[in-house]
Amino acid sequence: MPISSKHPETLAVHAGFRAAPGTNSVAVPIHQTTSYQFDSTEHAANLFALKELGNIYSRIMNPTADAFEQRVAAMEGGAAALALASGQAASTYCVLNLCEAGDNFVTSTDLYGGTWNLFANTMRQMGIEARFVDPTDPEAFRRAVDDRTRLFYAETLPNPKLNVFPIAEVAAIGRELGIPLVVDNTSAPVICKPLDLGAAVVMYSATKYMGGHGTSIGGVVVDGGNFDWEAWGDRFPTLNTPDQSYHGAVWTEAVKPLGPIAFILRMRVILLRDMGAAISPFNAFQIIQGVETLPLRMRQHCENAILVARFLRDHPKVTRAIHPSLQDGEMRRRADSVFKSGYGALVGFELEGGAEAGRRFIEALELFYHVANIGDARSLAIHPATTTHSQLAPEDQLASGVSPGYVRLSIGIEHPDDIIADLSQALEKV
Ligand code: PLP
């Protein structure tokens, strides 16, 4: 049954799947199979020639992953999606789908550390240059472009600074120059829809809020179907010139009977085929269970985070509390223009007593888990100066927004009184 609703709460439980044919199973079955019987030799030949779309081998597609992909594509308002083994695989493939050796892309400096490393080091080893620009100035993206620039990349709500990215402004600059904006929306599912703001592609570490239960690593990329790759011919050789690895297919031509899915189809049939970062059917199933309650959970995460941010702002041992709900001026304007509801559930704060206070605070927490993760249903905390950022020189830590007394919280869906009570007792021990 097609779902006409646009409400995320409805799409999260209905889009992409309805009672499995053959069994009438209401839950999405876990299709734990590597391969699929062809109906005939003609059927097999058609599948390989992409004359018909269908299952061949689970590295490239799988019915459980397919239900997850369709659900996320519907929730984002995109044309199609591709599930992958991790968020890292998702960002890697977004770049490799458009860039070849000698090409470059322009990225915000405010990134998850793993993405930073991937872009600054591993991409460089592949001959692809990441040009880092300060997101406080959207025009910096325009200035960094040359004729080998293939994409813009940014995170909606990057920690630790929690300055919301100007998605609409940078997407508009990109559309003027023929450059698509790829947005990592890991920290802001449901509350932000980057495609509505002009982004061409949105991706997630599904490991975080989407899964929500902290059980499974996964990633997903959504093709907005809203970028005219063909109109910018030479800018996108991977999509507009014959692909030697698929008997000369030109992806923007090949997808014409299927819809505006050149980007995601190439990612599946070339990158996933060749590099193999496939999600397991079991992880796709687990993440689907999370997606079903994602809109509900995001509401609670965001409401709790506002209360926590206010509590920290007013606490005498806290020198600075960081959350978009507490910002003013241009940063608050950006947050209000990007978020449809809420301000996310990542909260940062600085303790007067520096690194030692940070360490004591973490040790004293009872409800919060001390982990290097975000987006779990449980509240999580970490002291970056002694963990995630400890390899950086002190001045580089500061430049990335991590002071010695900085603590990062990922606020969960527990009762807010219990979250605040735990923070309160831990602050007393600092
Ligand atoms: N993007 C962001 C914003 C993240 O926080 C993370 C992980 O922390 C990733 C990407 C990478 O995701 P994964 O750990 O699923 O590979």
Side-chain angles (χ1 to χ4, degrees), residues 151-359:
L151 65 133
F152 290 160
Y153 187 99
E155 287 180 23
T156 305
L157 179 61
N159 74 81
K161 292 179 189 162
L162 302 180
N163 288 334
V164 174
F165 186 76
I167 297 178
E169 289 87 335
V170 174
I173 293 170
R175 283 179 186 274
E176 244 180 77
L177 304 174
I179 297 178
L181 172 63
V182 176
V183 174
D184 177 344
N185 201 41
T186 297
S187 304
V190 184
I191 62 169
C192 170
K193 283 179 72 183
L195 300 178
D196 287 355
L197 298 168
V201 174
V202 56
M203 58 136 287
Y204 288 92
S205 163
T207 313
K208 317 293 179 191
Y209 292 100
M210 218 173 247
H213 303 108
T215 63
S216 311
I217 303 281
V220 63
V221 180
V222 182
D223 183 340
N226 60 7
F227 197 88
D228 192 350
W229 309 102
E230 242 181 331
W232 298 94
D234 293 351
R235 176 72 72 184
F236 304 110
T238 60
L239 299 178
N240 287 324
T241 57
D243 193 328
Q244 296 320 320
S245 86
Y246 221 102
H247 42 72
V250 176
W251 294 112
T252 46
E253 288 289 331
V255 297
K256 291 223 161 113
L258 305 170
I261 60 166
F263 181 86
I264 210 75
L265 185 70
R266 181 188 189 270
M267 190 180 283
R268 183 188 297 279
V269 300
I270 302 298
L271 296 181
L272 189 54
R273 179 197 67 181
D274 293 355
M275 296 178 170
I279 193 166
S280 75
F282 185 68
N283 278 14
F285 170 82
Q286 291 278 51
I287 295 168
I288 289 168
Q289 309 317 300
V291 169
E292 293 190 348
T293 57
L294 181 62
L296 270 181
R297 279 186 288 109
M298 283 312 289
R299 209 174 297 154
Q300 188 70 36
H301 278 297
C302 290
E303 281 173 20
N304 285 355
I306 286 176
L307 297 174
V308 167
R310 286 187 196 145
F311 163 79
L312 291 169
R313 176 196 60 194
D314 298 338
H315 197 284
K317 288 188 178 163
V318 173
T319 49
R320 192 158 79 103
I322 305 160
H323 186 250
S325 69
L326 302 179
Q327 290 171 334
D328 48 26
E330 171 60 12
M331 287 308 150
R332 178 57 177 269
R333 188 201 64 76
R334 283 187 188 176
D336 286 333
S337 69
V338 160
F339 293 138
K340 298 160 80 72
S341 58
Y343 291 95
L346 301 176
V347 179
F349 67 97
E350 284 171 8
L351 283 163
E352 202 174 20
E356 184 49 28
R359 202 188 53 73

Side-chain angles (χ1 to χ4, degrees), residues 55-80:
N55 298 316
I56 298 175
Y57 188 62
S58 275
R59 171 159 28 84
I60 300 163
M61 61 186 80
N62 170 278
T64 311
D66 178 62
F68 169 44
E69 289 160 352
Q70 288 197 42
R71 194 157 290 182
V72 176
M75 290 173 76
E76 293 298 325

Side-chain angles (χ1 to χ4, degrees), residues 117-130:
N117 260 324
L118 166 69
F119 287 178
N121 299 310
T122 304
M123 288 297 170
R124 184 174 38 78
Q125 287 167 7
M126 296 183 192
I128 297 169
E129 182 198 355

